[in-house]
Amino acid sequence: MRQLHPVQQEVPDLCDLYDVPGPHLRAGFVASVDGVIAVNGRSSGLSSPADKVVFRALRTVCDAVLVGAGTARQEDYGPVRHDASALAWRAAHGRRAETPVVVVSRSGSLPDRLLTGPVIACVPGDVVVPAGVDVLRTTDPVGIVSGLHERGFTRLLCEGGPSLLTSFLQAEVVDELCLTTSPLLAGAGPHLIGDLEVRQLELRSLVYDDPGVLLGRWAVVRSTDE
C-alpha cells in the first residue's frame, strides 16, 4: 500500500493512520466506481485484500460499531472479534478489549449470532428486545450518538446500510466517510447514499493498493461550519 495524500509514502500500519482523536462518528463502506455497495446482495463482492485490512483497522481503533438491523441480517453479522495484534494495539492505546455492536432496529429483532457478544439495541421506547441486550431507547441519530457518548463510546463506526448512513448524514452527525473504491462498474444495485442534499467533503488521506483499489478518508463539512 502507498499513501498518495496528504504525503506520498509507504503505509506501515493503517491503524496508526486511521487513529484520530474522538469524539467522532465515521462511516466505513466499500463501493464500486459507480457507487454500488453490494453485488448479489452482499458487500463481499466488492471487497479486496486492501479493503479487508482497512475494515479491520477501522474496527480496531473504534469504540463501537453501528449497523442497521436489516444490514446486520443481510450481512450475517456476528460479534466483533479482534485478533491478537488488534487486541495488543487496543491495549497499548487505552481501548477496551471488547467492541460492542450497536444495532438500530424499530422492531427489536436482532440476528441470533450477534447475541453471543456485547450488543446495544437502539429501539423505540415500547419495543421489547432479547434478554441480556443493553438498550438505548431511541432511533434518532442525535439521540443515539449522545447516548453512546454517555456510555463512554466516543469513537463510533457506522457500517451501514445506506438508509442508516443517509439518516445520520441528514442529521449532520457524521464526521468522516472512510470509503474503499473498488475498481469495478457494478451497474444495478443499492447505492451508498439515498436522498440527500449536497454535502461538501474534504479529502484527509488517500491510499492506493494494486490493482486500482483506493482507500479514502473524507471529512464531512457540516453546514454549521460553512
Side-chain angles (χ1 to χ4, degrees):
M1 290 186 187
R2 183 164 183 80
Q3 183 172 328
L4 304 179
H5 178 84
V7 295
Q8 293 195 29
Q9 62 182 10
E10 296 301 317
V11 182
D13 190 330
L14 280 183
C15 288
D16 292 337
L17 178 65
Y18 280 81
D19 184 39
V20 297
H24 57 243
L25 170 63
R26 283 170 156 166
F29 282 79
V30 59
S32 63
V33 172
D34 53 343
V36 173
I37 61 168
V39 175
N40 296 324
R42 300 291 293 271
S43 62
S44 57
L46 295 165
S47 192
S48 63
D51 178 57
K52 290 181 173 66
V53 171
V54 75
F55 176 81
R56 290 192 294 269
L58 287 170
R59 284 188 162 198
T60 297
V61 304
C62 79
D63 296 328
V65 171
L66 286 87
V67 65
T71 297
R73 288 189 290 269
Q74 185 91 15
E75 298 282 350
D76 192 27
Y77 261 62
V80 175
R81 305 294 190 196
H82 297 296
D83 63 18
S85 62
L87 287 171
W89 190 98
R90 290 176 69 83
H93 291 78
R95 310 290 157 82
R96 312 179 197 202
E98 290 189 323
T99 301
V101 178
V102 182
V103 184
V104 183
S105 173
R106 296 193 179 279
S107 68
S109 175
L110 304 177
D112 290 340
R113 278 213 316 135
L114 273 179
L115 302 181
T116 62
V119 181
I120 301 172
C122 300
V123 296
D126 57 349
V127 168
V128 177
V129 301
V133 173
D134 191 8
V135 181
L136 188 58
R137 294 285 176 184
T138 182
T139 57
D140 171 69
V142 175
I144 290 171
V145 171
S146 63
L148 291 172
H149 285 183
E150 290 172 3
R151 286 165 164 78
F153 304 110
T154 59
R155 299 174 181 87
L156 306 176
L157 173 64
C158 174
E159 292 184 346
S163 295
L164 186 67
L165 173 58
T166 300
S167 70
F168 275 62
L169 285 166
Q170 289 171 338
E172 298 195 340
V173 294
V174 179
D175 298 291
E176 193 171 89
L177 175 62
C178 299
L179 180 64
T180 297
T181 303
S182 177
L184 295 172
L185 294 174
H191 280 69
L192 180 64
I193 305 295
D195 186 16
L196 185 71
E197 294 180 357
V198 173
R199 292 287 190 276
Q200 182 70 40
L201 302 178
E202 178 183 323
L203 183 62
R204 286 188 170 164
S205 70
L206 183 65
V207 173
Y208 169 83
D209 189 58
D210 194 47
V213 178
L214 296 174
L215 311 175
R217 287 177 51 231
W218 300 89
V220 179
V221 179
R222 308 273 182 85
S223 60
T224 52
D225 297 335
E226 296 175 350

